[in-house]
Amino acid sequence: MNIFRIKKDNNSYVYPIVKVLIFSLLSVAVMSLNQIIVINNKAVYNLFIFLCMIIITGCAHCIFISFGELQAAHKNRAKNKTLTERVIAKSREYSVDEFVSLLERKDVIEIQIIFNRKAIDIGAKSDFNQSNFRFFNKRYYIDKEEFEDIEDFKSALAPYLFNGKILVLSVDGVKSNRSLT
């Protein structure tokens, strides 16, 4: 566990809140040391102040990291939340061929599908070369799993089918209320 990196897979708010409290208290304690400890030697005093500043900077960094972890936990909780019947009713069914042809045509696209009452991110992503304005290295993904070949992607898509169709919630963040084309 590295306290200087954001823990992105966290679903709980407790860990980041405890970190904020601990590092806030540590910062206040270090700032208070200057009034408690009397150092007469100028060089030792400057070294002491420098060390206190390093500790306070590290604490501030950990507090900022904790706020990032709070945001990640919020995002993870929203993603893992089961969808209501009303939201599912607003989704649309698409055939696998319709779905895959859209992914083949677009270089970058994100589609949210519904599977087991949860939203799953599926799509295509590509790298972009700014010198010749072209996309390259296209990959397809289902959640965090990536595929370079469309046939491998189709095979991995099979468990997400419902009666041979895919239930689409949104395309590029826009609710799916019309055709994918």
Side-chain angles (χ1 to χ4, degrees), residues 78-90:
K79 188 174 184 179
N80 291 335
K81 191 183 294 184
T82 58
L83 302 172
T84 63
E85 290 297 327
R86 196 176 87 203
V87 171
I88 293 172
K90 291 181 181 178

Side-chain angles (χ1 to χ4, degrees), residues 3-21:
I3 59 172
F4 295 107
R5 291 187 188 256
I6 293 178
K7 188 176 173 187
K8 294 180 182 175
D9 59 346
N10 195 13
N11 286 325
S12 173
Y13 295 123
V14 174
Y15 176 70
I17 289 173
V18 168
K19 271 180 49 178
V20 167
L21 292 174

Side-chain angles (χ1 to χ4, degrees), residues 102-103 105-110 123-128 135 138-139 141 172:
L102 175 69
L103 288 171
R105 286 192 321 263
K106 304 286 185 176
D107 290 312
V108 177
I109 188 167
E110 181 177 89
K125 58 185 174 181
S126 301
D127 294 325
F128 183 72
F135 287 100
K138 185 172 183 177
R139 296 169 311 281
Y141 65 90
D172 286 334

